[in-house]
Amino acid sequence: MTALGDALQVNSSLSHLSLGRQNGIKTQGAAALAKALKTNTGLRSLSFGCLNETGAEGAAALVEALKVNTHLTCLAIDDETRMNEQGIVDLAEAIKKNTSLDTLKFGSRNDIEAVAATALADALKVNTSLTDLSFAAQNTLGRVVAPTIAEALKTNITLTRLAFADSCQVGDEGAAAFADALIVNKSLNVLVFEGDNGIGCTGAAALAHSLKTNASLMTLSLGSNAVGLEGTAALADALHMNSKLQQLEMGSFLPADNPDLQRIRTSLQRNRAEAADVLSSTFTLLDDGEALLTLSNAAGEECFEEVMSLGILCGSLDD
């Protein structure tokens, strides 16, 4: 690892480095990599695999490097890296000063408890580069930690995507906190609660209420959370007033002919048609549940083509 660190100090062509599983990277190796990151100008993406034993000193060295690195754009703390709470607090401090990182991914089982969550939230309040933040399955953010992250969205102006994978345990209280933030947040485009995050009809109703006034969110995923009849009805009512949301993902716990699902589909179709109309005078909607959007500029040149669902998507975002 020391040799790799030495090479990175002079190499300017390597753009992605993934340190896979069980590489046995310890403190000395992490320190060598950190030293390289302070001067390297080519690396854009860095991923730490699971069970690398960097230790507190190694993690601290990497964090210090992030404070001065101006080229790295994506950092993934992969599954079971098991970064401790102090390591995450130090990382959050680095995020306050870093101006290049736009994507931060936390793998499963990193130690994100109340203190670490508060540090991350404080960082999000002042950071101006991060646009994508995700937490993998079993980070168990819980009903106390999730609201702390949500509170930061009230002042953050750059984050566009926030995702919580299955078993992060956001819960109704967490969902309500994010709903409260969405009323004032103007930058978030994608909010994901994948799988089962313990969000029921109360949390769904709170999120629905925020959609009545939010003008930035384009995708909301409720995964397989049991939002129930009341939550679905609340979402249908909200989307009647919302003109921005274009994609809603939720579990298939209701029959396809449920009237509230039909209302949701109608609203999503309307929003997508209006969005397409803004971008182009040419768009095509198919009747079989999918939309093939071919967008052209005023000169007739094709600028965009994408297949998107008009209805309610079921299953994982990774499918």
Side-chain angles (χ1 to χ4, degrees):
M1 191 63 194
T2 300
L4 177 59
D6 291 341
L8 285 175
Q9 290 189 57
V10 295
N11 180 284
S12 60
S13 61
L14 186 68
S15 60
H16 175 75
L17 177 59
S18 179
L19 304 174
R21 300 186 175 189
Q22 299 183 5
N23 274 316
I25 300 172
K26 298 185 183 297
T27 299
Q28 185 177 357
L33 177 60
K35 182 179 179 181
L37 286 178
K38 290 183 177 181
T39 56
N40 180 277
T41 60
L43 203 62
R44 297 292 183 271
S45 175
L46 175 61
S47 174
F48 281 100
C50 73
L51 302 180
N52 285 305
E53 301 173 3
T54 60
E57 293 181 9
L62 288 168
V63 165
E64 285 301 313
L66 285 177
K67 293 180 180 180
V68 297
N69 181 284
T70 58
H71 294 83
L72 196 70
T73 60
C74 177
L75 177 62
I77 314 296
D78 285 346
D79 291 353
E80 299 191 48
T81 300
R82 300 182 188 274
M83 179 176 279
N84 63 25
E85 187 172 59
Q86 186 57 51
I88 296 175
V89 169
D90 292 341
L91 175 60
E93 190 63 28
I95 291 173
K96 289 181 179 180
K97 298 178 173 62
N98 183 280
T99 58
S100 65
L101 203 66
D102 60 40
T103 302
L104 178 59
K105 302 177 180 180
F106 285 100
S108 63
R109 298 184 177 91
N110 285 295
D111 191 11
I112 305 176
E113 300 295 340
V115 174
T118 298
L120 284 172
D122 289 343
L124 288 175
K125 292 175 183 179
V126 298
N127 177 275
T128 58
S129 65
L130 203 64
T131 61
D132 189 333
L133 176 61
S134 60
F135 300 91
Q138 300 182 48
N139 263 302
T140 58
L141 294 177
R143 292 160 176 76
V144 175
V145 176
T148 304
I149 302 293
E151 185 67 21
L153 291 181
K154 292 182 179 180
T155 52
N156 180 277
I157 59 173
T158 57
L159 204 67
T160 60
R161 181 181 182 273
L162 178 60
F164 299 90
D166 188 24
S167 302
C168 281
Q169 300 181 12
V170 171
D172 280 335
E173 183 177 345
F178 283 109
D180 191 38
L182 285 175
I183 293 175
V184 295
N185 180 278
K186 297 180 180 179
S187 66
L188 200 67
N189 299 142
V190 179
L191 179 59
V192 178
F193 301 108
E194 198 171 351
D196 183 5
N197 265 287
I199 299 174
C201 60
T202 302
L207 289 167
H209 178 72
S210 70
L211 291 178
K212 292 180 180 180
T213 54
N214 179 274
S216 66
L217 203 66
M218 299 176 67
T219 297
L220 173 62
S221 173
L222 293 172
S224 58
N225 290 285
V227 302
L229 290 171
E230 293 181 11
T232 303
L235 288 166
D237 290 341
L239 284 177
H240 181 70
M241 303 171 61
N242 178 289
S243 62
K244 190 69 174 181
L245 197 74
Q246 298 178 39
Q247 183 167 304
L248 174 63
E249 299 180 13
M250 55 195 297
S252 55
F253 54 86
L254 295 177
D257 60 353
N258 177 276
D260 289 324
L261 290 184
Q262 296 292 346
R263 287 201 294 149
I264 289 173
R265 290 190 182 97
T266 299
S267 295
L268 294 176
Q269 288 175 334
R270 178 203 65 216
N271 290 354
R272 287 189 173 178
E274 290 178 356
D277 205 22
V278 168
L279 292 174
S280 168
S281 60
T282 303
F283 65 94
T284 304
L285 298 180
L286 304 185
D287 295 327
D288 60 357
E290 289 187 336
L292 176 61
L293 292 161
T294 304
L295 306 179
S296 303
N297 59 23
E301 298 173 353
E302 182 176 292
C303 59
F304 186 93
E305 182 171 313
E306 185 177 28
V307 175
M308 296 192 292
S309 166
L310 279 177
I312 296 172
L313 305 182
C314 301
S316 169
L317 291 176
D318 296 327
D319 289 345

